[in-house]
C-alpha cells in the first residue's frame, strides 16, 4: 500500500505504491525507501552526505527477490569454485582412476558440484526474469519539494542517478536509459 510519514531516519521502507514524507518536517535521512510508483519528500539526505537510497518503479517484492537471487548466485559461485578445486585436485592426482578409499569423498564432491550447478542455473534464470521486469518498467518518479543533498542515490526502474551536489525543488523521472532531472515548483 502507501506509506505516509512526518520524517524517516535510517530506516528501510517498502511500499507497493506511494511513499509520502511531506508533513511539517518532511525529511528522509539515511536508509532506503523502495516504492512501486512515487516517492515524494520535502528533503532527502543531509549536509553530511548520509547515504540515502530512493528507489521507485518496481514492486519492492520483486526488488527484494532480485537482491536475494544476486546473493544466492554469488554463494553458489563461491561453493562451486571450492568444489571445482577439489575435483581438479582429484583429476591431477589420480588422473581419473580414484582409489577406493577416496571414492566416497570424490562422489560427495561430484554430488555437491551437481547440486550447486543446478541451484546456480535456477537462480540465474529467476534473476534474469526479475532483471527484465525491473528494466521494462518505466513508471515511477521521485519528487523533492525543497532540497536533496549529495550522497543520495536515486534508482528508477533499474537506472541509477547519484546526487553529487545539492539540488533544489526537483522531480526525477526515467527517460530511456537515463534519469531526467526536472525543475519542480508548486
Amino acid at each position: 500500500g502507501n506509506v505516509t510519514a512526518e520524517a524517516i531516519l535510517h530506516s528501510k521502507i517498502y511500499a507497493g505504491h506511494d511513499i509520502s514524507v511531506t508533513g511539517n518536517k518532511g525529511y528522509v535521512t539515511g536508509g532506503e525507501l523502495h516504492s512501486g510508483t512515487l516517492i515524494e519528500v520535502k528533503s532527502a539526505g543531509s549536509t553530511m552526505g548520509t547515504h540515502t537510497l530512493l528507489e521507485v518503479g518496481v514492486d519492492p517484492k520483486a526488488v527484494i527477490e532480485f537482491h536475494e537471487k544476486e546473493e544466492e548466485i554469488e554463494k553458489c559461485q563461491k561453493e562451486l569454485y571450492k568444489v571445482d578445486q577439489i575435483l581438479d585436485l582429484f583429476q591431477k592426482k589420480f588422473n581419473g582412476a580414484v582409489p577406493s578409499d577416496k571414492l566416497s569423498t570424490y562422489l560427495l564432491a561430484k554430488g555437491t558440484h551437481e547440486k550447486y550447478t543446478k541451484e546456480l542455473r535456477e537462480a540465474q534464470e529467476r534473476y534474469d526474469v526479475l532483471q527484465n521486469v525491473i528494466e521494462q518498467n518505466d513508471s515511477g518518479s521521485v519528487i523533492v519539494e525543497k532540497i536533496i543533498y549529495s550522497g543520495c542515490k536515486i534508482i528508477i526502474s533499474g537506472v541509477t542517478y547519484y546526487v553529487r551536489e545539492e539540488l533544489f525543488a526537483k522531480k526525477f523521472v526515467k527517460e530511456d536509459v537515463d534519469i531526467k532531472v526536472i525543475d519542480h515548483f508548486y
Side-chain angles (χ1 to χ4, degrees):
N2 298 320
V3 173
T4 303
E6 183 76 22
I8 298 175
L9 294 170
H10 304 285
S11 301
K12 287 186 179 183
I13 307 293
Y14 298 90
H17 296 288
D18 299 351
I19 296 176
S20 178
V21 189
T22 56
N24 287 335
K25 295 177 182 167
Y27 59 83
V28 173
T29 303
E32 302 176 2
L33 274 61
H34 303 272
S35 165
T37 54
L38 171 73
I39 295 176
E40 187 172 8
V41 301
K42 282 190 176 175
S43 69
S46 73
T47 55
M48 300 300 290
T50 305
H51 173 72
T52 306
L53 171 66
L54 308 173
E55 182 173 24
V56 296
V58 182
D59 181 0
K61 290 178 187 173
V63 173
I64 290 168
E65 186 181 357
F66 178 77
H67 292 304
E68 287 172 352
K69 292 301 171 191
E70 273 182 328
E71 290 173 8
E72 188 177 335
I73 288 168
E74 187 177 319
K75 176 187 164 232
C76 287
Q77 288 172 335
K78 285 180 182 176
E79 293 301 322
L80 275 172
Y81 178 76
K82 292 176 191 175
V83 172
D84 283 343
Q85 286 182 320
I86 293 168
L87 292 174
D88 285 347
L89 184 64
F90 270 102
Q91 181 63 32
K92 288 176 184 172
K93 191 168 184 177
F94 303 115
N95 200 21
V98 179
S100 60
D101 63 326
K102 306 283 186 200
L103 190 59
S104 63
T105 305
Y106 176 77
L107 292 175
L108 180 63
K110 279 293 262 187
T112 303
H113 184 273
E114 290 172 9
K115 173 187 172 235
Y116 281 115
T117 300
K118 180 182 177 199
E119 286 180 16
L120 178 62
R121 184 180 60 251
E122 290 171 355
Q124 187 66 51
E125 287 172 1
R126 182 65 182 152
Y127 175 87
D128 292 342
V129 167
L130 291 167
Q131 186 174 30
N132 193 32
V133 165
I134 289 169
E135 290 174 354
Q136 295 304 313
N137 190 343
D138 285 339
S139 65
S141 60
V142 174
I143 297 173
V144 179
E145 291 179 18
K146 291 184 178 177
I147 186 169
I148 185 166
Y149 295 94
S150 66
C152 291
K153 181 166 114 175
I154 296 172
I155 302 174
I156 302 176
S157 300
V159 178
T160 304
Y161 178 87
Y162 293 95
V163 178
R164 307 247 187 252
E165 61 186 8
E166 294 178 3
L167 299 172
F168 301 91
K170 300 294 182 187
K171 180 176 183 177
F172 301 85
V173 294
K174 182 178 177 187
E175 189 173 274
D176 297 323
V177 294
D178 289 324
I179 291 181
K180 186 175 181 181
V181 182
I182 304 166
D183 288 333
H184 188 75
F185 301 106
Y186 286 89

PDB file of all heavy atoms in Angstrom, residues 80-110:
ATOM      1  N   LEU A  80      30.838 -23.504  -5.808  1.00  0.00           N
ATOM      2  CA  LEU A  80      31.294 -24.232  -6.997  1.00  0.00           C
ATOM      3  C   LEU A  80      32.801 -24.080  -7.181  1.00  0.00           C
ATOM      4  O   LEU A  80      33.477 -25.031  -7.572  1.00  0.00           O
ATOM      5  CB  LEU A  80      30.557 -23.745  -8.248  1.00  0.00           C
ATOM      6  CG  LEU A  80      29.216 -24.400  -8.513  1.00  0.00           C
ATOM      7  CD1 LEU A  80      28.489 -23.707  -9.653  1.00  0.00           C
ATOM      8  CD2 LEU A  80      29.373 -25.879  -8.814  1.00  0.00           C
ATOM      9  N   TYR A  81      33.321 -22.904  -6.905  1.00  0.00           N
ATOM     10  CA  TYR A  81      34.758 -22.688  -7.010  1.00  0.00           C
ATOM     11  C   TYR A  81      35.505 -23.636  -6.081  1.00  0.00           C
ATOM     12  O   TYR A  81      36.492 -24.273  -6.478  1.00  0.00           O
ATOM     13  CB  TYR A  81      35.094 -21.221  -6.698  1.00  0.00           C
ATOM     14  CG  TYR A  81      36.565 -20.922  -6.727  1.00  0.00           C
ATOM     15  CD1 TYR A  81      37.240 -20.797  -7.941  1.00  0.00           C
ATOM     16  CD2 TYR A  81      37.294 -20.777  -5.546  1.00  0.00           C
ATOM     17  CE1 TYR A  81      38.604 -20.527  -7.978  1.00  0.00           C
ATOM     18  CE2 TYR A  81      38.652 -20.507  -5.571  1.00  0.00           C
ATOM     19  CZ  TYR A  81      39.305 -20.388  -6.787  1.00  0.00           C
ATOM     20  OH  TYR A  81      40.649 -20.128  -6.819  1.00  0.00           O
ATOM     21  N   LYS A  82      35.038 -23.742  -4.835  1.00  0.00           N
ATOM     22  CA  LYS A  82      35.676 -24.636  -3.859  1.00  0.00           C
ATOM     23  C   LYS A  82      35.610 -26.091  -4.316  1.00  0.00           C
ATOM     24  O   LYS A  82      36.612 -26.819  -4.265  1.00  0.00           O
ATOM     25  CB  LYS A  82      34.991 -24.509  -2.497  1.00  0.00           C
ATOM     26  CG  LYS A  82      35.199 -23.191  -1.806  1.00  0.00           C
ATOM     27  CD  LYS A  82      34.390 -23.165  -0.513  1.00  0.00           C
ATOM     28  CE  LYS A  82      34.329 -21.798   0.116  1.00  0.00           C
ATOM     29  NZ  LYS A  82      33.445 -21.779   1.299  1.00  0.00           N
ATOM     30  N   VAL A  83      34.435 -26.521  -4.774  1.00  0.00           N
ATOM     31  CA  VAL A  83      34.252 -27.911  -5.196  1.00  0.00           C
ATOM     32  C   VAL A  83      35.070 -28.191  -6.454  1.00  0.00           C
ATOM     33  O   VAL A  83      35.663 -29.269  -6.582  1.00  0.00           O
ATOM     34  CB  VAL A  83      32.752 -28.224  -5.422  1.00  0.00           C
ATOM     35  CG1 VAL A  83      32.563 -29.588  -6.049  1.00  0.00           C
ATOM     36  CG2 VAL A  83      31.995 -28.134  -4.102  1.00  0.00           C
ATOM     37  N   ASP A  84      35.128 -27.226  -7.362  1.00  0.00           N
ATOM     38  CA  ASP A  84      35.930 -27.402  -8.575  1.00  0.00           C
ATOM     39  C   ASP A  84      37.408 -27.603  -8.238  1.00  0.00           C
ATOM     40  O   ASP A  84      38.102 -28.388  -8.895  1.00  0.00           O
ATOM     41  CB  ASP A  84      35.767 -26.204  -9.518  1.00  0.00           C
ATOM     42  CG  ASP A  84      34.456 -26.240 -10.279  1.00  0.00           C
ATOM     43  OD1 ASP A  84      33.811 -27.311 -10.338  1.00  0.00           O
ATOM     44  OD2 ASP A  84      34.058 -25.187 -10.822  1.00  0.00           O
ATOM     45  N   GLN A  85      37.893 -26.899  -7.226  1.00  0.00           N
ATOM     46  CA  GLN A  85      39.288 -27.080  -6.808  1.00  0.00           C
ATOM     47  C   GLN A  85      39.520 -28.506  -6.304  1.00  0.00           C
ATOM     48  O   GLN A  85      40.547 -29.114  -6.614  1.00  0.00           O
ATOM     49  CB  GLN A  85      39.652 -26.069  -5.721  1.00  0.00           C
ATOM     50  CG  GLN A  85      39.823 -24.666  -6.248  1.00  0.00           C
ATOM     51  CD  GLN A  85      40.232 -23.703  -5.151  1.00  0.00           C
ATOM     52  OE1 GLN A  85      39.738 -23.768  -4.033  1.00  0.00           O
ATOM     53  NE2 GLN A  85      41.137 -22.793  -5.481  1.00  0.00           N
ATOM     54  N   ILE A  86      38.566 -29.023  -5.546  1.00  0.00           N
ATOM     55  CA  ILE A  86      38.685 -30.397  -5.042  1.00  0.00           C
ATOM     56  C   ILE A  86      38.675 -31.386  -6.201  1.00  0.00           C
ATOM     57  O   ILE A  86      39.510 -32.297  -6.267  1.00  0.00           O
ATOM     58  CB  ILE A  86      37.544 -30.704  -4.042  1.00  0.00           C
ATOM     59  CG1 ILE A  86      37.711 -29.867  -2.781  1.00  0.00           C
ATOM     60  CG2 ILE A  86      37.502 -32.194  -3.703  1.00  0.00           C
ATOM     61  CD1 ILE A  86      36.511 -29.876  -1.851  1.00  0.00           C
ATOM     62  N   LEU A  87      37.738 -31.210  -7.142  1.00  0.00           N
ATOM     63  CA  LEU A  87      37.642 -32.121  -8.290  1.00  0.00           C
ATOM     64  C   LEU A  87      38.881 -32.031  -9.173  1.00  0.00           C
ATOM     65  O   LEU A  87      39.358 -33.048  -9.692  1.00  0.00           O
ATOM     66  CB  LEU A  87      36.370 -31.846  -9.091  1.00  0.00           C
ATOM     67  CG  LEU A  87      35.052 -32.184  -8.387  1.00  0.00           C
ATOM     68  CD1 LEU A  87      33.862 -31.725  -9.213  1.00  0.00           C
ATOM     69  CD2 LEU A  87      34.958 -33.684  -8.095  1.00  0.00           C
ATOM     70  N   ASP A  88      39.426 -30.835  -9.351  1.00  0.00           N
ATOM     71  CA  ASP A  88      40.659 -30.671 -10.125  1.00  0.00           C
ATOM     72  C   ASP A  88      41.826 -31.392  -9.454  1.00  0.00           C
ATOM     73  O   ASP A  88      42.656 -32.008 -10.129  1.00  0.00           O
ATOM     74  CB  ASP A  88      41.000 -29.176 -10.297  1.00  0.00           C
ATOM     75  CG  ASP A  88      40.119 -28.479 -11.298  1.00  0.00           C
ATOM     76  OD1 ASP A  88      39.394 -29.170 -12.056  1.00  0.00           O
ATOM     77  OD2 ASP A  88      40.128 -27.225 -11.324  1.00  0.00           O
ATOM     78  N   LEU A  89      41.870 -31.304  -8.132  1.00  0.00           N
ATOM     79  CA  LEU A  89      42.921 -31.996  -7.386  1.00  0.00           C
ATOM     80  C   LEU A  89      42.826 -33.501  -7.593  1.00  0.00           C
ATOM     81  O   LEU A  89      43.846 -34.170  -7.819  1.00  0.00           O
ATOM     82  CB  LEU A  89      42.817 -31.653  -5.887  1.00  0.00           C
ATOM     83  CG  LEU A  89      43.897 -32.217  -4.992  1.00  0.00           C
ATOM     84  CD1 LEU A  89      45.263 -31.640  -5.364  1.00  0.00           C
ATOM     85  CD2 LEU A  89      43.575 -31.931  -3.533  1.00  0.00           C
ATOM     86  N   PHE A  90      41.605 -34.043  -7.532  1.00  0.00           N
ATOM     87  CA  PHE A  90      41.410 -35.476  -7.793  1.00  0.00           C
ATOM     88  C   PHE A  90      41.875 -35.828  -9.199  1.00  0.00           C
ATOM     89  O   PHE A  90      42.535 -36.852  -9.412  1.00  0.00           O
ATOM     90  CB  PHE A  90      39.933 -35.868  -7.627  1.00  0.00           C
ATOM     91  CG  PHE A  90      39.567 -36.302  -6.242  1.00  0.00           C
ATOM     92  CD1 PHE A  90      38.895 -35.441  -5.381  1.00  0.00           C
ATOM     93  CD2 PHE A  90      39.865 -37.580  -5.778  1.00  0.00           C
ATOM     94  CE1 PHE A  90      38.549 -35.836  -4.102  1.00  0.00           C
ATOM     95  CE2 PHE A  90      39.532 -37.983  -4.508  1.00  0.00           C
ATOM     96  CZ  PHE A  90      38.866 -37.112  -3.652  1.00  0.00           C
ATOM     97  N   GLN A  91      41.530 -34.986 -10.170  1.00  0.00           N
ATOM     98  CA  GLN A  91      41.897 -35.242 -11.565  1.00  0.00           C
ATOM     99  C   GLN A  91      43.421 -35.245 -11.726  1.00  0.00           C
ATOM    100  O   GLN A  91      43.983 -36.136 -12.363  1.00  0.00           O
ATOM    101  CB  GLN A  91      41.249 -34.196 -12.481  1.00  0.00           C
ATOM    102  CG  GLN A  91      41.540 -34.394 -13.951  1.00  0.00           C
ATOM    103  CD  GLN A  91      40.977 -35.705 -14.492  1.00  0.00           C
ATOM    104  OE1 GLN A  91      39.941 -36.194 -14.050  1.00  0.00           O
ATOM    105  NE2 GLN A  91      41.673 -36.294 -15.447  1.00  0.00           N
ATOM    106  N   LYS A  92      44.095 -34.254 -11.143  1.00  0.00           N
ATOM    107  CA  LYS A  92      45.548 -34.156 -11.278  1.00  0.00           C
ATOM    108  C   LYS A  92      46.272 -35.289 -10.539  1.00  0.00           C
ATOM    109  O   LYS A  92      47.239 -35.848 -11.047  1.00  0.00           O
ATOM    110  CB  LYS A  92      46.042 -32.808 -10.741  1.00  0.00           C
ATOM    111  CG  LYS A  92      45.680 -31.642 -11.632  1.00  0.00           C
ATOM    112  CD  LYS A  92      46.116 -30.332 -11.005  1.00  0.00           C
ATOM    113  CE  LYS A  92      45.652 -29.171 -11.869  1.00  0.00           C
ATOM    114  NZ  LYS A  92      45.879 -27.880 -11.225  1.00  0.00           N
ATOM    115  N   LYS A  93      45.783 -35.593  -9.349  1.00  0.00           N
ATOM    116  CA  LYS A  93      46.472 -36.568  -8.507  1.00  0.00           C
ATOM    117  C   LYS A  93      46.234 -38.005  -8.983  1.00  0.00           C
ATOM    118  O   LYS A  93      47.147 -38.827  -8.984  1.00  0.00           O
ATOM    119  CB  LYS A  93      46.018 -36.414  -7.059  1.00  0.00           C
ATOM    120  CG  LYS A  93      46.865 -37.188  -6.075  1.00  0.00           C
ATOM    121  CD  LYS A  93      46.552 -36.768  -4.660  1.00  0.00           C
ATOM    122  CE  LYS A  93      47.490 -37.481  -3.708  1.00  0.00           C
ATOM    123  NZ  LYS A  93      47.289 -37.069  -2.338  1.00  0.00           N
ATOM    124  N   PHE A  94      44.996 -38.305  -9.375  1.00  0.00           N
ATOM    125  CA  PHE A  94      44.662 -39.693  -9.699  1.00  0.00           C
ATOM    126  C   PHE A  94      44.365 -39.908 -11.181  1.00  0.00           C
ATOM    127  O   PHE A  94      44.105 -41.036 -11.589  1.00  0.00           O
ATOM    128  CB  PHE A  94      43.464 -40.150  -8.856  1.00  0.00           C
ATOM    129  CG  PHE A  94      43.708 -40.023  -7.375  1.00  0.00           C
ATOM    130  CD1 PHE A  94      42.964 -39.134  -6.611  1.00  0.00           C
ATOM    131  CD2 PHE A  94      44.685 -40.789  -6.745  1.00  0.00           C
ATOM    132  CE1 PHE A  94      43.186 -39.018  -5.251  1.00  0.00           C
ATOM    133  CE2 PHE A  94      44.911 -40.672  -5.379  1.00  0.00           C
ATOM    134  CZ  PHE A  94      44.157 -39.774  -4.626  1.00  0.00           C
ATOM    135  N   ASN A  95      44.335 -38.831 -11.965  1.00  0.00           N
ATOM    136  CA  ASN A  95      44.143 -38.915 -13.407  1.00  0.00           C
ATOM    137  C   ASN A  95      42.930 -39.786 -13.792  1.00  0.00           C
ATOM    138  O   ASN A  95      43.006 -40.651 -14.658  1.00  0.00           O
ATOM    139  CB  ASN A  95      45.417 -39.417 -14.089  1.00  0.00           C
ATOM    140  CG  ASN A  95      45.432 -39.073 -15.561  1.00  0.00           C
ATOM    141  OD1 ASN A  95      44.732 -38.161 -15.996  1.00  0.00           O
ATOM    142  ND2 ASN A  95      46.227 -39.802 -16.330  1.00  0.00           N
ATOM    143  N   GLY A  96      41.829 -39.585 -13.100  1.00  0.00           N
ATOM    144  CA  GLY A  96      40.592 -40.302 -13.428  1.00  0.00           C
ATOM    145  C   GLY A  96      40.419 -41.632 -12.736  1.00  0.00           C
ATOM    146  O   GLY A  96      39.334 -42.189 -12.701  1.00  0.00           O
ATOM    147  N   ALA A  97      41.458 -42.226 -12.186  1.00  0.00           N
ATOM    148  CA  ALA A  97      41.373 -43.517 -11.504  1.00  0.00           C
ATOM    149  C   ALA A  97      41.415 -43.279  -9.992  1.00  0.00           C
ATOM    150  O   ALA A  97      42.457 -43.374  -9.358  1.00  0.00           O
ATOM    151  CB  ALA A  97      42.518 -44.422 -11.932  1.00  0.00           C
ATOM    152  N   VAL A  98      40.273 -42.968  -9.419  1.00  0.00           N
ATOM    153  CA  VAL A  98      40.181 -42.649  -7.994  1.00  0.00           C
ATOM    154  C   VAL A  98      40.278 -43.939  -7.175  1.00  0.00           C
ATOM    155  O   VAL A  98      39.524 -44.882  -7.420  1.00  0.00           O
ATOM    156  CB  VAL A  98      38.853 -41.910  -7.689  1.00  0.00           C
ATOM    157  CG1 VAL A  98      38.747 -41.591  -6.210  1.00  0.00           C
ATOM    158  CG2 VAL A  98      38.735 -40.651  -8.529  1.00  0.00           C
ATOM    159  N   PRO A  99      41.195 -43.983  -6.196  1.00  0.00           N
ATOM    160  CA  PRO A  99      41.314 -45.178  -5.349  1.00  0.00           C
ATOM    161  C   PRO A  99      40.035 -45.374  -4.530  1.00  0.00           C
ATOM    162  O   PRO A  99      39.316 -44.438  -4.223  1.00  0.00           O
ATOM    163  CB  PRO A  99      42.497 -44.875  -4.434  1.00  0.00           C
ATOM    164  CG  PRO A  99      43.067 -43.570  -4.856  1.00  0.00           C
ATOM    165  CD  PRO A  99      42.173 -42.959  -5.849  1.00  0.00           C
ATOM    166  N   SER A 100      39.786 -46.614  -4.160  1.00  0.00           N
ATOM    167  CA  SER A 100      38.549 -46.965  -3.459  1.00  0.00           C
ATOM    168  C   SER A 100      38.418 -46.253  -2.115  1.00  0.00           C
ATOM    169  O   SER A 100      37.309 -45.913  -1.706  1.00  0.00           O
ATOM    170  CB  SER A 100      38.442 -48.482  -3.283  1.00  0.00           C
ATOM    171  OG  SER A 100      39.539 -48.957  -2.531  1.00  0.00           O
ATOM    172  N   ASP A 101      39.527 -45.997  -1.417  1.00  0.00           N
ATOM    173  CA  ASP A 101      39.430 -45.320  -0.126  1.00  0.00           C
ATOM    174  C   ASP A 101      39.104 -43.822  -0.270  1.00  0.00           C
ATOM    175  O   ASP A 101      38.700 -43.180   0.680  1.00  0.00           O
ATOM    176  CB  ASP A 101      40.710 -45.519   0.695  1.00  0.00           C
ATOM    177  CG  ASP A 101      41.933 -44.906   0.038  1.00  0.00           C
ATOM    178  OD1 ASP A 101      42.005 -44.901  -1.203  1.00  0.00           O
ATOM    179  OD2 ASP A 101      42.819 -44.436   0.783  1.00  0.00           O
ATOM    180  N   LYS A 102      39.249 -43.267  -1.478  1.00  0.00           N
ATOM    181  CA  LYS A 102      38.948 -41.852  -1.736  1.00  0.00           C
ATOM    182  C   LYS A 102      37.659 -41.686  -2.542  1.00  0.00           C
ATOM    183  O   LYS A 102      37.220 -40.578  -2.806  1.00  0.00           O
ATOM    184  CB  LYS A 102      40.087 -41.188  -2.520  1.00  0.00           C
ATOM    185  CG  LYS A 102      41.442 -41.312  -1.909  1.00  0.00           C
ATOM    186  CD  LYS A 102      41.607 -40.360  -0.773  1.00  0.00           C
ATOM    187  CE  LYS A 102      43.059 -40.422  -0.287  1.00  0.00           C
ATOM    188  NZ  LYS A 102      43.209 -39.926   1.033  1.00  0.00           N
ATOM    189  N   LEU A 103      37.063 -42.813  -2.908  1.00  0.00           N
ATOM    190  CA  LEU A 103      35.891 -42.783  -3.777  1.00  0.00           C
ATOM    191  C   LEU A 103      34.703 -42.060  -3.144  1.00  0.00           C
ATOM    192  O   LEU A 103      34.025 -41.270  -3.809  1.00  0.00           O
ATOM    193  CB  LEU A 103      35.493 -44.206  -4.182  1.00  0.00           C
ATOM    194  CG  LEU A 103      34.434 -44.314  -5.277  1.00  0.00           C
ATOM    195  CD1 LEU A 103      34.898 -43.615  -6.544  1.00  0.00           C
ATOM    196  CD2 LEU A 103      34.117 -45.771  -5.560  1.00  0.00           C
ATOM    197  N   SER A 104      34.446 -42.279  -1.867  1.00  0.00           N
ATOM    198  CA  SER A 104      33.300 -41.630  -1.220  1.00  0.00           C
ATOM    199  C   SER A 104      33.474 -40.110  -1.188  1.00  0.00           C
ATOM    200  O   SER A 104      32.522 -39.361  -1.413  1.00  0.00           O
ATOM    201  CB  SER A 104      33.075 -42.184   0.184  1.00  0.00           C
ATOM    202  OG  SER A 104      34.181 -41.897   1.009  1.00  0.00           O
ATOM    203  N   THR A 105      34.693 -39.638  -0.938  1.00  0.00           N
ATOM    204  CA  THR A 105      34.969 -38.198  -0.943  1.00  0.00           C
ATOM    205  C   THR A 105      34.778 -37.628  -2.341  1.00  0.00           C
ATOM    206  O   THR A 105      34.181 -36.559  -2.520  1.00  0.00           O
ATOM    207  CB  THR A 105      36.405 -37.921  -0.459  1.00  0.00           C
ATOM    208  OG1 THR A 105      36.582 -38.520   0.815  1.00  0.00           O
ATOM    209  CG2 THR A 105      36.685 -36.439  -0.371  1.00  0.00           C
ATOM    210  N   TYR A 106      35.265 -38.351  -3.342  1.00  0.00           N
ATOM    211  CA  TYR A 106      35.125 -37.919  -4.736  1.00  0.00           C
ATOM    212  C   TYR A 106      33.647 -37.845  -5.133  1.00  0.00           C
ATOM    213  O   TYR A 106      33.208 -36.860  -5.729  1.00  0.00           O
ATOM    214  CB  TYR A 106      35.887 -38.868  -5.662  1.00  0.00           C
ATOM    215  CG  TYR A 106      35.705 -38.550  -7.123  1.00  0.00           C
ATOM    216  CD1 TYR A 106      36.379 -37.483  -7.704  1.00  0.00           C
ATOM    217  CD2 TYR A 106      34.862 -39.323  -7.924  1.00  0.00           C
ATOM    218  CE1 TYR A 106      36.216 -37.182  -9.044  1.00  0.00           C
ATOM    219  CE2 TYR A 106      34.695 -39.023  -9.261  1.00  0.00           C
ATOM    220  CZ  TYR A 106      35.368 -37.957  -9.819  1.00  0.00           C
ATOM    221  OH  TYR A 106      35.188 -37.649 -11.143  1.00  0.00           O
ATOM    222  N   LEU A 107      32.883 -38.885  -4.792  1.00  0.00           N
ATOM    223  CA  LEU A 107      31.458 -38.908  -5.145  1.00  0.00           C
ATOM    224  C   LEU A 107      30.688 -37.803  -4.419  1.00  0.00           C
ATOM    225  O   LEU A 107      29.769 -37.207  -4.987  1.00  0.00           O
ATOM    226  CB  LEU A 107      30.857 -40.277  -4.842  1.00  0.00           C
ATOM    227  CG  LEU A 107      31.355 -41.420  -5.726  1.00  0.00           C
ATOM    228  CD1 LEU A 107      30.785 -42.754  -5.251  1.00  0.00           C
ATOM    229  CD2 LEU A 107      31.019 -41.170  -7.196  1.00  0.00           C
ATOM    230  N   LEU A 108      31.060 -37.526  -3.182  1.00  0.00           N
ATOM    231  CA  LEU A 108      30.433 -36.439  -2.434  1.00  0.00           C
ATOM    232  C   LEU A 108      30.711 -35.099  -3.120  1.00  0.00           C
ATOM    233  O   LEU A 108      29.807 -34.269  -3.276  1.00  0.00           O
ATOM    234  CB  LEU A 108      30.956 -36.414  -0.989  1.00  0.00           C
ATOM    235  CG  LEU A 108      30.392 -35.315  -0.087  1.00  0.00           C
ATOM    236  CD1 LEU A 108      28.892 -35.487   0.107  1.00  0.00           C
ATOM    237  CD2 LEU A 108      31.107 -35.308   1.248  1.00  0.00           C
ATOM    238  N   ALA A 109      31.943 -34.891  -3.548  1.00  0.00           N
ATOM    239  CA  ALA A 109      32.299 -33.654  -4.257  1.00  0.00           C
ATOM    240  C   ALA A 109      31.541 -33.541  -5.573  1.00  0.00           C
ATOM    241  O   ALA A 109      31.050 -32.462  -5.931  1.00  0.00           O
ATOM    242  CB  ALA A 109      33.808 -33.597  -4.494  1.00  0.00           C
ATOM    243  N   LYS A 110      31.440 -34.647  -6.308  1.00  0.00           N
ATOM    244  CA  LYS A 110      30.681 -34.651  -7.578  1.00  0.00           C
ATOM    245  C   LYS A 110      29.217 -34.291  -7.325  1.00  0.00           C
ATOM    246  O   LYS A 110      28.626 -33.505  -8.065  1.00  0.00           O
ATOM    247  CB  LYS A 110      30.748 -36.027  -8.251  1.00  0.00           C
ATOM    248  CG  LYS A 110      31.982 -36.319  -9.040  1.00  0.00           C
ATOM    249  CD  LYS A 110      32.100 -35.475 -10.264  1.00  0.00           C
ATOM    250  CE  LYS A 110      31.613 -36.202 -11.479  1.00  0.00           C
ATOM    251  NZ  LYS A 110      31.886 -35.438 -12.687  1.00  0.00           N
TER     252      LYS A 110
END
